[in-house]
Amino acid sequence: MRPGRNRGWLLRLVIAFSFAQAAVSMARPAVSYRALALGADERAVGVIAGVYALLPLFAAVPLGRRTDHGRCAPLLPAGVVLIAAGCALSGLAGSLWTMAVWSGVMGLGHLAFVIGAQSLVARQSAPHEQDRNFGHFTIGASLGQLVGPIAAGALIGGPDMARTSALALVVAGAGAAVAVTSLWRIEDRTALSGRARTGDRVPVRRILGSRGVPAGILISLSVLSATDVLTAYLPVVGEHRGIPPSVVGLLLSLRAAATIACRLVLTPLLRLGRTPLLTSTCLLAALLCAGIALPVPVWALAVMLAALGFCLGVGQPLSMTTVVRAAPEGARSTALALRLTGNRLGQVAAPAGAGLIAGVAGVAAPFVLLGGLLLLSAGVALRSPAAVAPAAPGRDASASRPHNSRT
């Protein structure tokens, strides 16, 4: 089966990713609530949350190397097992240090799943389908991010926070396990080229030196940082402006829904061109992020968040394609792993930096900083190399890619 001939695998992958991401999105706030119930202070909660992002950093490049020279599919069930175990055992843990360990296991599982899944999309998509397929793949993440926190909020509460948060973690583990049911026969083994099996290892320095790879990493980091800081600090902004928590929750859900809508219509949007689309959405997102710092009414904030969610929906899938096409042959999974490493570093640094800035300059200041970061990404997107011309449907990838093309 040539890349692009059958898209049933993509639908099953989106379903699996939705369950896996929903479990993680449900478990992360539940871990914080359970840690607090066990006597943790804010610093301990921050350490436990940081272990989730930091521990997998050491495994990202080795997992990418392994996928470049082998199959993608084994990482998917392995990731699901680690996510499910990390969620459920966090709920059963009786001490803070064991919760930190299982939080790291959950993060490692999520990383393994995402590296395997992104590599699968890159390998089994024809060049003219990569933007669309990456866009559809990331719908799974958006659905999980939409459903997970709602499910956690429905289960956690009452006087016995330790019990309800533990229940939420066990339920999250069970939900993650459901993802395995969609992973049957998901990989076409013939899509692994002989060069990928036997090629020499490409140094990380050469991958990062490939024109287009740093741009893709920076754009992805900026978009994810904006999403994370928005999720963490919009409740704080709401508290200062007298917006009820229920309304803040609806505003965040509106942002997530707009991101899903963007990815559903990504294919027609690409007719504008990849570089103009990336540049304009990053630029508009920068202005909207800075606008959140203004004391606007709730209805205007809702409009801004909907537009922001739509703009942020472009960056992640197109940055995946940018990295895949720019990376040297035989090192694309490693390049995607480096992109994920940048994402995880952003997940650690952005909230910490936002907290520091908010403490000095006020709770709205982090959004101005994010606006500057997205503005930098817009400049990088504008200066990045032109996209590889997509192949006509039905043509092989090798026939459609110019010898010296880079994205």
Side-chain angles (χ1 to χ4, degrees), residues 7-20 73 76 113-114 116-122 124 133-134 136-141 179 182-184 186:
R7 294 181 64 212
W9 61 270
L10 182 60
L11 176 60
R12 297 199 301 276
L13 186 62
V14 170
I15 293 171
F17 194 22
S18 298
F19 278 100
L76 303 180
F113 185 96
V114 173
Q118 290 183 5
S119 300
L120 192 70
V121 174
Q124 295 192 171
N133 287 358
F134 275 124
H136 289 172
F137 166 72
T138 52
I139 289 174
S182 293
L183 297 178
W184 50 276
I186 202 165

PDB file of all heavy atoms in Angstrom, residues 7-20 73 76 113-114 116-122 124 133-134 136-141 179 182-184 186:
ATOM      1  N   ARG A   7      -7.138   5.721   4.309  1.00  0.00           N
ATOM      2  CA  ARG A   7      -7.077   6.608   5.461  1.00  0.00           C
ATOM      3  C   ARG A   7      -7.810   6.042   6.672  1.00  0.00           C
ATOM      4  O   ARG A   7      -8.026   6.744   7.646  1.00  0.00           O
ATOM      5  CB  ARG A   7      -7.648   7.978   5.088  1.00  0.00           C
ATOM      6  CG  ARG A   7      -6.802   8.707   4.059  1.00  0.00           C
ATOM      7  CD  ARG A   7      -7.377  10.068   3.740  1.00  0.00           C
ATOM      8  NE  ARG A   7      -7.361  10.922   4.913  1.00  0.00           N
ATOM      9  CZ  ARG A   7      -8.274  11.864   5.145  1.00  0.00           C
ATOM     10  NH1 ARG A   7      -9.273  12.024   4.321  1.00  0.00           N
ATOM     11  NH2 ARG A   7      -8.186  12.616   6.217  1.00  0.00           N
ATOM     12  N   GLY A   8      -8.206   4.746   6.628  1.00  0.00           N
ATOM     13  CA  GLY A   8      -8.845   4.158   7.794  1.00  0.00           C
ATOM     14  C   GLY A   8      -7.927   4.154   9.003  1.00  0.00           C
ATOM     15  O   GLY A   8      -8.377   4.336  10.142  1.00  0.00           O
ATOM     16  N   TRP A   9      -6.627   3.982   8.773  1.00  0.00           N
ATOM     17  CA  TRP A   9      -5.662   4.001   9.872  1.00  0.00           C
ATOM     18  C   TRP A   9      -5.645   5.356  10.569  1.00  0.00           C
ATOM     19  O   TRP A   9      -5.457   5.441  11.793  1.00  0.00           O
ATOM     20  CB  TRP A   9      -4.258   3.679   9.355  1.00  0.00           C
ATOM     21  CG  TRP A   9      -3.737   4.668   8.341  1.00  0.00           C
ATOM     22  CD1 TRP A   9      -3.885   4.628   6.989  1.00  0.00           C
ATOM     23  CD2 TRP A   9      -3.017   5.877   8.627  1.00  0.00           C
ATOM     24  NE1 TRP A   9      -3.295   5.719   6.403  1.00  0.00           N
ATOM     25  CE2 TRP A   9      -2.751   6.498   7.377  1.00  0.00           C
ATOM     26  CE3 TRP A   9      -2.561   6.471   9.797  1.00  0.00           C
ATOM     27  CZ2 TRP A   9      -2.057   7.700   7.281  1.00  0.00           C
ATOM     28  CZ3 TRP A   9      -1.868   7.685   9.716  1.00  0.00           C
ATOM     29  CH2 TRP A   9      -1.627   8.283   8.460  1.00  0.00           C
ATOM     30  N   LEU A  10      -5.850   6.435   9.798  1.00  0.00           N
ATOM     31  CA  LEU A  10      -5.807   7.776  10.388  1.00  0.00           C
ATOM     32  C   LEU A  10      -6.992   7.994  11.322  1.00  0.00           C
ATOM     33  O   LEU A  10      -6.833   8.560  12.410  1.00  0.00           O
ATOM     34  CB  LEU A  10      -5.797   8.830   9.279  1.00  0.00           C
ATOM     35  CG  LEU A  10      -5.714  10.295   9.744  1.00  0.00           C
ATOM     36  CD1 LEU A  10      -4.445  10.539  10.550  1.00  0.00           C
ATOM     37  CD2 LEU A  10      -5.780  11.235   8.546  1.00  0.00           C
ATOM     38  N   LEU A  11      -8.170   7.532  10.929  1.00  0.00           N
ATOM     39  CA  LEU A  11      -9.337   7.661  11.796  1.00  0.00           C
ATOM     40  C   LEU A  11      -9.124   6.890  13.095  1.00  0.00           C
ATOM     41  O   LEU A  11      -9.421   7.396  14.187  1.00  0.00           O
ATOM     42  CB  LEU A  11     -10.585   7.152  11.073  1.00  0.00           C
ATOM     43  CG  LEU A  11     -11.873   7.137  11.902  1.00  0.00           C
ATOM     44  CD1 LEU A  11     -12.226   8.539  12.386  1.00  0.00           C
ATOM     45  CD2 LEU A  11     -13.022   6.534  11.089  1.00  0.00           C
ATOM     46  N   ARG A  12      -8.593   5.670  12.995  1.00  0.00           N
ATOM     47  CA  ARG A  12      -8.350   4.890  14.211  1.00  0.00           C
ATOM     48  C   ARG A  12      -7.292   5.562  15.087  1.00  0.00           C
ATOM     49  O   ARG A  12      -7.366   5.530  16.317  1.00  0.00           O
ATOM     50  CB  ARG A  12      -7.923   3.468  13.848  1.00  0.00           C
ATOM     51  CG  ARG A  12      -8.990   2.692  13.109  1.00  0.00           C
ATOM     52  CD  ARG A  12      -8.744   1.187  13.153  1.00  0.00           C
ATOM     53  NE  ARG A  12      -7.474   0.799  12.567  1.00  0.00           N
ATOM     54  CZ  ARG A  12      -7.269   0.605  11.272  1.00  0.00           C
ATOM     55  NH1 ARG A  12      -8.274   0.764  10.417  1.00  0.00           N
ATOM     56  NH2 ARG A  12      -6.081   0.241  10.823  1.00  0.00           N
ATOM     57  N   LEU A  13      -6.300   6.182  14.446  1.00  0.00           N
ATOM     58  CA  LEU A  13      -5.261   6.872  15.205  1.00  0.00           C
ATOM     59  C   LEU A  13      -5.839   8.090  15.933  1.00  0.00           C
ATOM     60  O   LEU A  13      -5.495   8.353  17.092  1.00  0.00           O
ATOM     61  CB  LEU A  13      -4.136   7.306  14.264  1.00  0.00           C
ATOM     62  CG  LEU A  13      -2.894   7.924  14.928  1.00  0.00           C
ATOM     63  CD1 LEU A  13      -2.219   6.910  15.850  1.00  0.00           C
ATOM     64  CD2 LEU A  13      -1.910   8.418  13.871  1.00  0.00           C
ATOM     65  N   VAL A  14      -6.720   8.842  15.276  1.00  0.00           N
ATOM     66  CA  VAL A  14      -7.354   9.997  15.909  1.00  0.00           C
ATOM     67  C   VAL A  14      -8.188   9.561  17.110  1.00  0.00           C
ATOM     68  O   VAL A  14      -8.167  10.194  18.175  1.00  0.00           O
ATOM     69  CB  VAL A  14      -8.219  10.766  14.887  1.00  0.00           C
ATOM     70  CG1 VAL A  14      -9.072  11.826  15.578  1.00  0.00           C
ATOM     71  CG2 VAL A  14      -7.346  11.418  13.827  1.00  0.00           C
ATOM     72  N   ILE A  15      -8.921   8.451  16.955  1.00  0.00           N
ATOM     73  CA  ILE A  15      -9.729   7.941  18.067  1.00  0.00           C
ATOM     74  C   ILE A  15      -8.839   7.554  19.240  1.00  0.00           C
ATOM     75  O   ILE A  15      -9.109   7.905  20.399  1.00  0.00           O
ATOM     76  CB  ILE A  15     -10.580   6.741  17.599  1.00  0.00           C
ATOM     77  CG1 ILE A  15     -11.640   7.202  16.594  1.00  0.00           C
ATOM     78  CG2 ILE A  15     -11.247   6.048  18.789  1.00  0.00           C
ATOM     79  CD1 ILE A  15     -12.379   6.065  15.918  1.00  0.00           C
ATOM     80  N   ALA A  16      -7.766   6.820  18.946  1.00  0.00           N
ATOM     81  CA  ALA A  16      -6.850   6.402  20.009  1.00  0.00           C
ATOM     82  C   ALA A  16      -6.219   7.611  20.693  1.00  0.00           C
ATOM     83  O   ALA A  16      -6.108   7.662  21.926  1.00  0.00           O
ATOM     84  CB  ALA A  16      -5.771   5.483  19.437  1.00  0.00           C
ATOM     85  N   PHE A  17      -5.809   8.597  19.905  1.00  0.00           N
ATOM     86  CA  PHE A  17      -5.182   9.785  20.468  1.00  0.00           C
ATOM     87  C   PHE A  17      -6.174  10.567  21.330  1.00  0.00           C
ATOM     88  O   PHE A  17      -5.803  11.153  22.354  1.00  0.00           O
ATOM     89  CB  PHE A  17      -4.642  10.667  19.336  1.00  0.00           C
ATOM     90  CG  PHE A  17      -3.690  11.742  19.796  1.00  0.00           C
ATOM     91  CD1 PHE A  17      -3.007  11.643  21.002  1.00  0.00           C
ATOM     92  CD2 PHE A  17      -3.475  12.862  19.004  1.00  0.00           C
ATOM     93  CE1 PHE A  17      -2.120  12.639  21.414  1.00  0.00           C
ATOM     94  CE2 PHE A  17      -2.597  13.859  19.401  1.00  0.00           C
ATOM     95  CZ  PHE A  17      -1.926  13.746  20.613  1.00  0.00           C
ATOM     96  N   SER A  18      -7.445  10.592  20.928  1.00  0.00           N
ATOM     97  CA  SER A  18      -8.459  11.290  21.716  1.00  0.00           C
ATOM     98  C   SER A  18      -8.563  10.684  23.114  1.00  0.00           C
ATOM     99  O   SER A  18      -8.605  11.420  24.120  1.00  0.00           O
ATOM    100  CB  SER A  18      -9.820  11.222  21.014  1.00  0.00           C
ATOM    101  OG  SER A  18      -9.786  11.860  19.754  1.00  0.00           O
ATOM    102  N   PHE A  19      -8.604   9.353  23.203  1.00  0.00           N
ATOM    103  CA  PHE A  19      -8.703   8.696  24.499  1.00  0.00           C
ATOM    104  C   PHE A  19      -7.434   8.913  25.327  1.00  0.00           C
ATOM    105  O   PHE A  19      -7.496   9.193  26.533  1.00  0.00           O
ATOM    106  CB  PHE A  19      -8.973   7.197  24.325  1.00  0.00           C
ATOM    107  CG  PHE A  19     -10.416   6.873  24.083  1.00  0.00           C
ATOM    108  CD1 PHE A  19     -10.883   6.618  22.803  1.00  0.00           C
ATOM    109  CD2 PHE A  19     -11.317   6.824  25.138  1.00  0.00           C
ATOM    110  CE1 PHE A  19     -12.224   6.326  22.578  1.00  0.00           C
ATOM    111  CE2 PHE A  19     -12.653   6.524  24.931  1.00  0.00           C
ATOM    112  CZ  PHE A  19     -13.108   6.276  23.638  1.00  0.00           C
ATOM    113  N   ALA A  20      -6.270   8.777  24.672  1.00  0.00           N
ATOM    114  CA  ALA A  20      -5.011   8.941  25.397  1.00  0.00           C
ATOM    115  C   ALA A  20      -4.855  10.369  25.909  1.00  0.00           C
ATOM    116  O   ALA A  20      -4.467  10.595  27.062  1.00  0.00           O
ATOM    117  CB  ALA A  20      -3.836   8.563  24.500  1.00  0.00           C
ATOM    118  N   ALA A  73       4.507   1.576  15.032  1.00  0.00           N
ATOM    119  CA  ALA A  73       3.353   1.067  15.763  1.00  0.00           C
ATOM    120  C   ALA A  73       3.661   0.557  17.174  1.00  0.00           C
ATOM    121  O   ALA A  73       2.841   0.761  18.074  1.00  0.00           O
ATOM    122  CB  ALA A  73       2.664  -0.029  14.942  1.00  0.00           C
ATOM    123  N   LEU A  76       2.959   2.857  20.132  1.00  0.00           N
ATOM    124  CA  LEU A  76       1.602   3.293  20.461  1.00  0.00           C
ATOM    125  C   LEU A  76       1.015   2.509  21.637  1.00  0.00           C
ATOM    126  O   LEU A  76       0.623   3.118  22.643  1.00  0.00           O
ATOM    127  CB  LEU A  76       0.707   3.205  19.224  1.00  0.00           C
ATOM    128  CG  LEU A  76       1.199   4.005  18.010  1.00  0.00           C
ATOM    129  CD1 LEU A  76       0.236   3.847  16.847  1.00  0.00           C
ATOM    130  CD2 LEU A  76       1.347   5.476  18.358  1.00  0.00           C
ATOM    131  N   PHE A 113       3.774   7.705  22.862  1.00  0.00           N
ATOM    132  CA  PHE A 113       2.620   7.612  21.968  1.00  0.00           C
ATOM    133  C   PHE A 113       2.693   8.687  20.887  1.00  0.00           C
ATOM    134  O   PHE A 113       2.485   8.394  19.699  1.00  0.00           O
ATOM    135  CB  PHE A 113       1.326   7.764  22.774  1.00  0.00           C
ATOM    136  CG  PHE A 113       0.075   7.555  21.954  1.00  0.00           C
ATOM    137  CD1 PHE A 113      -0.545   6.319  21.928  1.00  0.00           C
ATOM    138  CD2 PHE A 113      -0.465   8.587  21.195  1.00  0.00           C
ATOM    139  CE1 PHE A 113      -1.694   6.123  21.162  1.00  0.00           C
ATOM    140  CE2 PHE A 113      -1.593   8.402  20.424  1.00  0.00           C
ATOM    141  CZ  PHE A 113      -2.217   7.165  20.415  1.00  0.00           C
ATOM    142  N   VAL A 114       3.000   9.920  21.277  1.00  0.00           N
ATOM    143  CA  VAL A 114       2.980  11.011  20.311  1.00  0.00           C
ATOM    144  C   VAL A 114       4.099  10.871  19.282  1.00  0.00           C
ATOM    145  O   VAL A 114       3.885  11.111  18.089  1.00  0.00           O
ATOM    146  CB  VAL A 114       3.060  12.365  21.042  1.00  0.00           C
ATOM    147  CG1 VAL A 114       3.224  13.503  20.050  1.00  0.00           C
ATOM    148  CG2 VAL A 114       1.811  12.589  21.882  1.00  0.00           C
ATOM    149  N   GLY A 116       5.478   8.038  18.247  1.00  0.00           N
ATOM    150  CA  GLY A 116       5.065   6.965  17.348  1.00  0.00           C
ATOM    151  C   GLY A 116       3.957   7.403  16.417  1.00  0.00           C
ATOM    152  O   GLY A 116       3.976   7.097  15.215  1.00  0.00           O
ATOM    153  N   ALA A 117       2.963   8.139  16.943  1.00  0.00           N
ATOM    154  CA  ALA A 117       1.820   8.541  16.132  1.00  0.00           C
ATOM    155  C   ALA A 117       2.218   9.568  15.077  1.00  0.00           C
ATOM    156  O   ALA A 117       1.816   9.467  13.907  1.00  0.00           O
ATOM    157  CB  ALA A 117       0.726   9.101  17.043  1.00  0.00           C
ATOM    158  N   GLN A 118       3.003  10.577  15.448  1.00  0.00           N
ATOM    159  CA  GLN A 118       3.419  11.585  14.476  1.00  0.00           C
ATOM    160  C   GLN A 118       4.296  10.970  13.390  1.00  0.00           C
ATOM    161  O   GLN A 118       4.185  11.318  12.213  1.00  0.00           O
ATOM    162  CB  GLN A 118       4.160  12.720  15.182  1.00  0.00           C
ATOM    163  CG  GLN A 118       3.271  13.581  16.046  1.00  0.00           C
ATOM    164  CD  GLN A 118       4.019  14.738  16.678  1.00  0.00           C
ATOM    165  OE1 GLN A 118       5.194  14.964  16.411  1.00  0.00           O
ATOM    166  NE2 GLN A 118       3.329  15.486  17.521  1.00  0.00           N
ATOM    167  N   SER A 119       5.174  10.052  13.784  1.00  0.00           N
ATOM    168  CA  SER A 119       6.023   9.383  12.795  1.00  0.00           C
ATOM    169  C   SER A 119       5.181   8.539  11.845  1.00  0.00           C
ATOM    170  O   SER A 119       5.470   8.465  10.644  1.00  0.00           O
ATOM    171  CB  SER A 119       7.057   8.500  13.505  1.00  0.00           C
ATOM    172  OG  SER A 119       7.883   9.267  14.352  1.00  0.00           O
ATOM    173  N   LEU A 120       4.128   7.929  12.377  1.00  0.00           N
ATOM    174  CA  LEU A 120       3.234   7.129  11.538  1.00  0.00           C
ATOM    175  C   LEU A 120       2.530   8.003  10.510  1.00  0.00           C
ATOM    176  O   LEU A 120       2.426   7.635   9.325  1.00  0.00           O
ATOM    177  CB  LEU A 120       2.210   6.414  12.427  1.00  0.00           C
ATOM    178  CG  LEU A 120       1.368   5.323  11.772  1.00  0.00           C
ATOM    179  CD1 LEU A 120       2.232   4.105  11.450  1.00  0.00           C
ATOM    180  CD2 LEU A 120       0.225   4.920  12.700  1.00  0.00           C
ATOM    181  N   VAL A 121       2.046   9.168  10.939  1.00  0.00           N
ATOM    182  CA  VAL A 121       1.381  10.084  10.007  1.00  0.00           C
ATOM    183  C   VAL A 121       2.363  10.540   8.929  1.00  0.00           C
ATOM    184  O   VAL A 121       2.037  10.568   7.735  1.00  0.00           O
ATOM    185  CB  VAL A 121       0.802  11.297  10.761  1.00  0.00           C
ATOM    186  CG1 VAL A 121       0.235  12.313   9.776  1.00  0.00           C
ATOM    187  CG2 VAL A 121      -0.290  10.847  11.731  1.00  0.00           C
ATOM    188  N   ALA A 122       3.587  10.882   9.332  1.00  0.00           N
ATOM    189  CA  ALA A 122       4.581  11.339   8.360  1.00  0.00           C
ATOM    190  C   ALA A 122       4.911  10.242   7.357  1.00  0.00           C
ATOM    191  O   ALA A 122       5.046  10.506   6.157  1.00  0.00           O
ATOM    192  CB  ALA A 122       5.852  11.784   9.094  1.00  0.00           C
ATOM    193  N   GLN A 124       3.114   7.461   6.495  1.00  0.00           N
ATOM    194  CA  GLN A 124       2.029   6.864   5.712  1.00  0.00           C
ATOM    195  C   GLN A 124       1.184   7.903   4.974  1.00  0.00           C
ATOM    196  O   GLN A 124       0.160   7.554   4.395  1.00  0.00           O
ATOM    197  CB  GLN A 124       1.137   6.015   6.630  1.00  0.00           C
ATOM    198  CG  GLN A 124       1.874   4.825   7.216  1.00  0.00           C
ATOM    199  CD  GLN A 124       0.976   3.798   7.901  1.00  0.00           C
ATOM    200  OE1 GLN A 124       1.422   2.721   8.273  1.00  0.00           O
ATOM    201  NE2 GLN A 124      -0.292   4.100   8.055  1.00  0.00           N
ATOM    202  N   ASN A 133      -3.464  15.610   6.944  1.00  0.00           N
ATOM    203  CA  ASN A 133      -3.465  14.492   7.881  1.00  0.00           C
ATOM    204  C   ASN A 133      -2.939  14.881   9.254  1.00  0.00           C
ATOM    205  O   ASN A 133      -3.450  14.420  10.279  1.00  0.00           O
ATOM    206  CB  ASN A 133      -2.657  13.327   7.303  1.00  0.00           C
ATOM    207  CG  ASN A 133      -3.386  12.626   6.177  1.00  0.00           C
ATOM    208  OD1 ASN A 133      -4.514  12.984   5.844  1.00  0.00           O
ATOM    209  ND2 ASN A 133      -2.748  11.636   5.572  1.00  0.00           N
ATOM    210  N   PHE A 134      -1.901  15.728   9.293  1.00  0.00           N
ATOM    211  CA  PHE A 134      -1.444  16.221  10.592  1.00  0.00           C
ATOM    212  C   PHE A 134      -2.531  17.075  11.259  1.00  0.00           C
ATOM    213  O   PHE A 134      -2.687  17.047  12.487  1.00  0.00           O
ATOM    214  CB  PHE A 134      -0.153  17.024  10.452  1.00  0.00           C
ATOM    215  CG  PHE A 134       1.090  16.185  10.456  1.00  0.00           C
ATOM    216  CD1 PHE A 134       1.996  16.250   9.409  1.00  0.00           C
ATOM    217  CD2 PHE A 134       1.364  15.326  11.510  1.00  0.00           C
ATOM    218  CE1 PHE A 134       3.155  15.477   9.418  1.00  0.00           C
ATOM    219  CE2 PHE A 134       2.519  14.546  11.526  1.00  0.00           C
ATOM    220  CZ  PHE A 134       3.412  14.620  10.475  1.00  0.00           C
ATOM    221  N   HIS A 136      -5.823  16.675  10.895  1.00  0.00           N
ATOM    222  CA  HIS A 136      -6.826  15.749  11.427  1.00  0.00           C
ATOM    223  C   HIS A 136      -6.290  15.007  12.649  1.00  0.00           C
ATOM    224  O   HIS A 136      -7.030  14.758  13.609  1.00  0.00           O
ATOM    225  CB  HIS A 136      -7.244  14.764  10.343  1.00  0.00           C
ATOM    226  CG  HIS A 136      -8.064  15.390   9.261  1.00  0.00           C
ATOM    227  ND1 HIS A 136      -8.417  14.739   8.096  1.00  0.00           N
ATOM    228  CD2 HIS A 136      -8.597  16.644   9.146  1.00  0.00           C
ATOM    229  CE1 HIS A 136      -9.133  15.544   7.337  1.00  0.00           C
ATOM    230  NE2 HIS A 136      -9.250  16.704   7.952  1.00  0.00           N
ATOM    231  N   PHE A 137      -5.010  14.650  12.628  1.00  0.00           N
ATOM    232  CA  PHE A 137      -4.414  13.961  13.776  1.00  0.00           C
ATOM    233  C   PHE A 137      -4.502  14.819  15.028  1.00  0.00           C
ATOM    234  O   PHE A 137      -4.835  14.329  16.114  1.00  0.00           O
ATOM    235  CB  PHE A 137      -2.956  13.629  13.445  1.00  0.00           C
ATOM    236  CG  PHE A 137      -2.134  13.231  14.639  1.00  0.00           C
ATOM    237  CD1 PHE A 137      -2.320  11.998  15.263  1.00  0.00           C
ATOM    238  CD2 PHE A 137      -1.161  14.080  15.143  1.00  0.00           C
ATOM    239  CE1 PHE A 137      -1.565  11.638  16.365  1.00  0.00           C
ATOM    240  CE2 PHE A 137      -0.408  13.721  16.238  1.00  0.00           C
ATOM    241  CZ  PHE A 137      -0.613  12.496  16.850  1.00  0.00           C
ATOM    242  N   THR A 138      -4.219  16.115  14.901  1.00  0.00           N
ATOM    243  CA  THR A 138      -4.232  16.975  16.082  1.00  0.00           C
ATOM    244  C   THR A 138      -5.649  17.259  16.572  1.00  0.00           C
ATOM    245  O   THR A 138      -5.812  17.790  17.685  1.00  0.00           O
ATOM    246  CB  THR A 138      -3.506  18.306  15.790  1.00  0.00           C
ATOM    247  OG1 THR A 138      -4.049  18.903  14.604  1.00  0.00           O
ATOM    248  CG2 THR A 138      -2.019  18.080  15.605  1.00  0.00           C
ATOM    249  N   ILE A 139      -6.673  16.926  15.792  1.00  0.00           N
ATOM    250  CA  ILE A 139      -8.042  17.016  16.307  1.00  0.00           C
ATOM    251  C   ILE A 139      -8.193  16.093  17.510  1.00  0.00           C
ATOM    252  O   ILE A 139      -8.908  16.412  18.473  1.00  0.00           O
ATOM    253  CB  ILE A 139      -9.058  16.661  15.207  1.00  0.00           C
ATOM    254  CG1 ILE A 139      -9.103  17.780  14.160  1.00  0.00           C
ATOM    255  CG2 ILE A 139     -10.450  16.446  15.792  1.00  0.00           C
ATOM    256  CD1 ILE A 139      -9.972  17.464  12.964  1.00  0.00           C
ATOM    257  N   GLY A 140      -7.509  14.937  17.479  1.00  0.00           N
ATOM    258  CA  GLY A 140      -7.563  14.019  18.608  1.00  0.00           C
ATOM    259  C   GLY A 140      -7.068  14.682  19.882  1.00  0.00           C
ATOM    260  O   GLY A 140      -7.671  14.522  20.954  1.00  0.00           O
ATOM    261  N   ALA A 141      -5.975  15.443  19.783  1.00  0.00           N
ATOM    262  CA  ALA A 141      -5.458  16.150  20.954  1.00  0.00           C
ATOM    263  C   ALA A 141      -6.447  17.191  21.442  1.00  0.00           C
ATOM    264  O   ALA A 141      -6.699  17.321  22.653  1.00  0.00           O
ATOM    265  CB  ALA A 141      -4.121  16.811  20.616  1.00  0.00           C
ATOM    266  N   ALA A 179      -7.860   3.202  24.390  1.00  0.00           N
ATOM    267  CA  ALA A 179      -7.182   3.574  23.147  1.00  0.00           C
ATOM    268  C   ALA A 179      -6.595   2.372  22.420  1.00  0.00           C
ATOM    269  O   ALA A 179      -6.476   2.383  21.189  1.00  0.00           O
ATOM    270  CB  ALA A 179      -6.076   4.598  23.446  1.00  0.00           C
ATOM    271  N   SER A 182      -8.252   0.750  19.249  1.00  0.00           N
ATOM    272  CA  SER A 182      -8.226   1.376  17.921  1.00  0.00           C
ATOM    273  C   SER A 182      -6.892   1.208  17.208  1.00  0.00           C
ATOM    274  O   SER A 182      -6.702   1.773  16.130  1.00  0.00           O
ATOM    275  CB  SER A 182      -8.535   2.876  18.051  1.00  0.00           C
ATOM    276  OG  SER A 182      -9.848   3.096  18.474  1.00  0.00           O
ATOM    277  N   LEU A 183      -5.975   0.448  17.793  1.00  0.00           N
ATOM    278  CA  LEU A 183      -4.619   0.388  17.242  1.00  0.00           C
ATOM    279  C   LEU A 183      -4.336  -0.863  16.426  1.00  0.00           C
ATOM    280  O   LEU A 183      -3.194  -1.119  16.071  1.00  0.00           O
ATOM    281  CB  LEU A 183      -3.601   0.493  18.399  1.00  0.00           C
ATOM    282  CG  LEU A 183      -3.647   1.805  19.188  1.00  0.00           C
ATOM    283  CD1 LEU A 183      -2.634   1.776  20.327  1.00  0.00           C
ATOM    284  CD2 LEU A 183      -3.381   3.004  18.275  1.00  0.00           C
ATOM    285  N   TRP A 184      -5.352  -1.639  16.099  1.00  0.00           N
ATOM    286  CA  TRP A 184      -5.131  -2.871  15.341  1.00  0.00           C
ATOM    287  C   TRP A 184      -4.781  -2.551  13.878  1.00  0.00           C
ATOM    288  O   TRP A 184      -5.376  -1.705  13.255  1.00  0.00           O
ATOM    289  CB  TRP A 184      -6.368  -3.770  15.391  1.00  0.00           C
ATOM    290  CG  TRP A 184      -7.650  -3.090  15.041  1.00  0.00           C
ATOM    291  CD1 TRP A 184      -8.450  -2.361  15.862  1.00  0.00           C
ATOM    292  CD2 TRP A 184      -8.278  -3.043  13.750  1.00  0.00           C
ATOM    293  NE1 TRP A 184      -9.533  -1.862  15.183  1.00  0.00           N
ATOM    294  CE2 TRP A 184      -9.455  -2.276  13.887  1.00  0.00           C
ATOM    295  CE3 TRP A 184      -7.961  -3.575  12.493  1.00  0.00           C
ATOM    296  CZ2 TRP A 184     -10.311  -2.029  12.817  1.00  0.00           C
ATOM    297  CZ3 TRP A 184      -8.819  -3.326  11.433  1.00  0.00           C
ATOM    298  CH2 TRP A 184      -9.977  -2.569  11.606  1.00  0.00           C
ATOM    299  N   ILE A 186      -2.609  -0.839  12.333  1.00  0.00           N
ATOM    300  CA  ILE A 186      -2.595   0.588  12.042  1.00  0.00           C
ATOM    301  C   ILE A 186      -1.395   1.000  11.194  1.00  0.00           C
ATOM    302  O   ILE A 186      -1.384   2.068  10.591  1.00  0.00           O
ATOM    303  CB  ILE A 186      -2.629   1.380  13.364  1.00  0.00           C
ATOM    304  CG1 ILE A 186      -3.162   2.802  13.122  1.00  0.00           C
ATOM    305  CG2 ILE A 186      -1.257   1.413  14.041  1.00  0.00           C
ATOM    306  CD1 ILE A 186      -3.557   3.521  14.378  1.00  0.00           C
TER     307      ILE A 186
END
